[in-house]
Amino acid sequence: MSDNQREADTIILDPTHASFSPEEGVKDLGATHFIGIGGAGMSVLAEMLHEQGVEVDGSDREPNAKTERLQGLGIAVEFGQQKKNVEGKRTVVYSSAIKPDNPEIVAAQEEGERIVHRSDILALLMNSKRAVTVAGAHGKTTTSSMLSHILVNAGEGELADPSYAIGGSIQGKDGATLDGGHAGKGSVLVAEADESDGSFAKYHPQIAIITNSEADHLDHYGTQANYRAAFVDHAGHATKAVVMCGDDDGNLAVLRALDPRIARHTVVYSTQDASNLGDLNGAMLVRIESESETAESGAEHFTLHIPAGLIGNGDRRVAVTLTVPGIHNARNASAAIIAAALLGMDVERAASAVTSFLGAARRFQVRGTVNRVTLVDDYAHHPTEIAALLDAARRRYSQSKIRVIFQPHLFSRTKFFAREFAEALSKADDVIVTGIFPAREKQEDFPDVTATTIVAEALKLSHDPAEDWIRGVEDMHTAAQMMVMRAHHGDVILTVGAGDITQMDEVILHALEAHRWDCEG
């Protein structure tokens, strides 16, 4: 064992530990180094600190568009991670992707430098902004993207030019992709609050949006009760308001567990009325009235019923039209519109602005249509997300056969939710489950968990057709080619998952172009 490895064994990286006191600010950071500065979340934090006068540099494995942007701003970036990169630094920032044996972590430990998680930097930045956080097992990126879009396109005065730190990119006009991070000049900061590692416990936003509290990341929390307790704690940190979806049973449990003082400053948005929701613990209800059918364009139409006292003395009815389909997106948009109104924007102006939102990248993103087969890419990786995605696909493509290539994300999630994944995928007509994307986990720790884990559960379900609707194919390239061979004119193919399945989109489009079609259709 090397000396570095022995030293690394003593290093504990705990993202739940708050590294700064409430009295500290960004000026207390000193010279600050980011390990993995080219990451989506890290790069925007580095830029925001740079704009506030902090001495910032960083390192990454290789150049990318974000490192090029940072270098253009005058931020030094080293490629390759080594001890000398952290020499003379006062603060070293890591993300949950960085391991304790990283040479820069080891060197920072040896030098006695302050080692902090990226969430600590985000928490510091929130202290000087009107922060809005978005937490939940799913819907975070879309909801935070929608709110950022509203503020960018309709914000005036201090609501204009917001800062935002989003876990993905945003679809722009003409196929362009907008960066998910921006260091703005305005007073508002919109940020995803990642619950996966418990780090969102550090945040004290003005407004906390909670899209749902459906159990996930049980490898970290252990039990559903612990998971929900973390959301109760997070909601209690909001200084102005909590905005949460009432269509999620987990959220209702969280709502009823809130301190009554917090609940009285909570806004619940739901497709159900108060009589169906039961005890709201003193919270205010905004009801979503959704049309049962979407227009031929796939647009989603709904009306918000806003009670008196929330944004004015009288009741309000606000009509909303979304370009992105699905009732789940109506919920996401409702949260974004309510938050914008609580920040001070006219609610009708906010509702109008969200119409032009085209979606976060990899959220129902249409990648192309070749030979009358449409390819859609989506980041869904939780059973509820997949069910919502397939419901939206049915609404938009009601006459099409829906075919899915699903890449599970994490062995632990696949193990915990195999049955739920099977039930969600059963909404499709044809499914291939590929090998699991491991992320931070290792196959040897889960020897019995594979693509067939989900397939075995799915085959226990009733389905039309009863046979040959789902199969496991370990290699995603083979899966892509197989799905093209199975497709017919008018079908929709969806690539689904949080890993690298999106890389198959170009493979599928090229294969569709080369495929020799029979005479049908």
Side-chain angles (χ1 to χ4, degrees):
M1 181 182 293
S2 68
D3 290 340
N4 275 1
Q5 183 61 56
R6 290 190 186 94
E7 185 68 26
D9 288 341
T10 69
I11 300 173
I12 298 174
L13 300 181
D14 181 5
T16 66
H17 170 71
S19 297
F20 301 109
S21 68
E23 295 77 26
E24 290 183 284
V26 296
K27 301 300 183 184
D28 298 302
L29 290 172
T32 300
H33 177 82
F34 283 77
I35 306 175
I37 197 170
M42 298 284 269
S43 61
V44 68
L45 297 180
E47 182 174 342
M48 292 172 71
L49 291 184
H50 175 73
E51 287 199 354
Q52 294 195 30
V54 178
E55 181 185 337
V56 174
D57 71 359
S59 63
D60 217 309
R61 289 178 296 181
E62 56 189 24
N64 61 27
K66 292 181 172 61
T67 60
E68 290 176 7
R69 172 175 172 78
L70 294 172
Q71 288 172 318
L73 296 171
I75 297 174
V77 180
E78 297 290 337
F79 297 106
Q81 293 173 350
Q82 48 193 318
K83 178 176 180 178
K84 70 180 183 65
N85 291 339
V86 300
E87 291 177 357
K89 307 305 175 186
R90 183 174 178 188
T91 303
V92 173
V93 187
Y94 73 98
S95 71
S96 295
I98 303 300
K99 304 302 181 185
D101 61 353
N102 180 284
E104 295 183 7
I105 288 286
V106 174
Q109 176 85 347
E110 291 173 347
E111 297 295 323
E113 293 160 347
R114 181 159 52 180
I115 303 172
V116 305
H117 190 260
R118 64 173 296 273
S119 57
D120 290 297
I121 302 300
L122 185 54
L124 275 184
L125 290 165
M126 286 183 190
N127 293 340
S128 60
K129 294 281 189 178
R130 299 177 64 194
V132 182
T133 55
V134 184
H138 36 87
K140 292 189 294 291
T141 298
T142 297
T143 304
S144 52
S145 296
M146 283 178 166
L147 178 55
S148 300
H149 177 90
I150 290 169
L151 296 172
V152 166
N153 289 277
E156 297 177 321
E158 65 175 15
L159 297 184
D161 192 23
S163 299
Y164 49 86
I166 298 168
S169 301
I170 305 171
Q171 295 182 50
K173 296 179 180 178
D174 303 319
T177 300
L178 306 179
D179 197 343
H182 174 65
K185 304 295 186 184
S187 67
V188 177
L189 168 61
V190 180
E192 285 193 35
D194 182 14
E195 85 286 359
S196 65
D197 55 12
S199 61
F200 73 154
K202 302 169 185 174
Y203 303 150
H204 290 77
Q206 278 197 4
I207 300 171
I209 297 173
I210 302 177
T211 58
N212 48 75
S213 308
E214 186 172 5
D216 198 3
H217 305 294
L218 297 184
D219 55 325
H220 174 78
Y221 289 99
T223 66
Q224 182 185 75
N226 291 340
Y227 184 78
R228 290 178 178 174
F231 280 89
V232 173
D233 177 69
H234 174 67
H237 292 172
T239 60
K240 180 176 181 179
V242 179
V243 179
M244 61 194 307
C245 181
D247 289 344
D248 174 65
D249 289 340
N251 267 8
L252 291 177
V254 169
L255 174 66
R256 290 161 188 153
L258 292 179
D259 184 290
R261 295 172 299 169
I262 304 299
R264 284 194 295 270
H265 298 287
T266 296
V267 181
V268 174
Y269 56 96
S270 175
T271 59
Q272 304 178 68
D273 59 30
S275 62
N276 290 326
L277 292 172
D279 178 24
L280 294 181
N281 197 15
M284 192 170 288
L285 174 65
V286 174
R287 190 167 64 83
I288 305 168
E289 181 184 2
S290 179
E291 295 187 10
S292 59
E293 298 293 337
T294 56
E296 290 184 4
S297 63
E300 195 77 28
H301 302 279
F302 63 97
T303 300
L304 291 179
H305 295 258
I306 302 175
L310 180 58
I311 55 174
N313 294 327
D315 293 342
R316 299 282 294 275
R317 290 171 56 90
V318 180
V320 186
T321 296
L322 291 180
T323 302
V324 290
I327 188 61
H328 64 297
N329 278 321
R331 297 186 184 102
N332 295 334
S334 299
I337 292 167
I338 293 166
L342 292 174
L343 287 169
M345 182 179 289
D346 175 75
V347 68
E348 297 279 359
R349 185 178 178 88
S352 178
V354 81
T355 298
S356 59
F357 177 74
L358 298 180
R362 298 210 63 222
R363 272 67 175 185
F364 212 100
Q365 185 169 3
V366 178
R367 289 297 175 92
T369 300
V370 176
N371 286 318
R372 290 159 48 196
V373 176
T374 299
L375 177 64
V376 177
D377 186 41
D378 199 276
Y379 188 76
H381 57 285
H382 184 280
T384 301
E385 292 175 328
I386 294 171
L389 167 67
L390 295 178
D391 286 341
R394 290 287 184 204
R395 286 165 71 85
R396 173 166 283 192
Y397 304 108
S398 59
Q399 303 302 313
S400 298
K401 181 164 286 189
I402 306 298
R403 302 181 186 272
V404 172
I405 305 174
F406 172 54
Q407 179 191 50
H409 184 269
L410 295 177
F411 299 104
S412 59
R413 184 182 282 124
T414 303
K415 176 182 177 181
F416 287 133
F417 300 116
R419 174 74 178 189
E420 290 82 356
F421 276 123
E423 291 172 346
L425 289 167
S426 70
K427 291 175 175 284
D429 299 299
D430 187 26
V431 178
I432 297 177
V433 182
T434 75
I436 298 168
F437 187 83
R440 59 185 178 271
E441 296 179 342
K442 297 179 180 179
Q443 175 73 77
E444 53 261 38
D445 295 328
F446 301 88
D448 299 327
V449 181
T450 66
T452 58
T453 303
I454 294 173
V455 174
E457 289 295 330
L459 293 176
K460 300 174 184 177
L461 306 174
S462 60
H463 192 274
D464 184 19
E467 298 180 356
D468 197 35
W469 70 273
I470 188 169
R471 65 207 59 79
V473 177
E474 188 69 21
D475 180 71
M476 64 183 179
H477 291 81
T478 303
Q481 296 289 345
M482 284 180 60
M483 191 59 85
V484 169
M485 296 298 294
R486 296 174 68 85
H488 300 283
H489 295 308
D491 290 356
V492 177
I493 299 175
L494 294 96
T495 51
V496 181
D500 54 5
I501 190 65
T502 186
Q503 296 176 6
M504 293 301 97
D505 289 348
E506 288 299 319
V507 173
I508 292 170
L509 291 172
H510 286 308
L512 287 170
E513 290 174 352
H515 184 55
R516 297 184 64 180
W517 299 89
D518 59 26
C519 295
E520 57 81 31

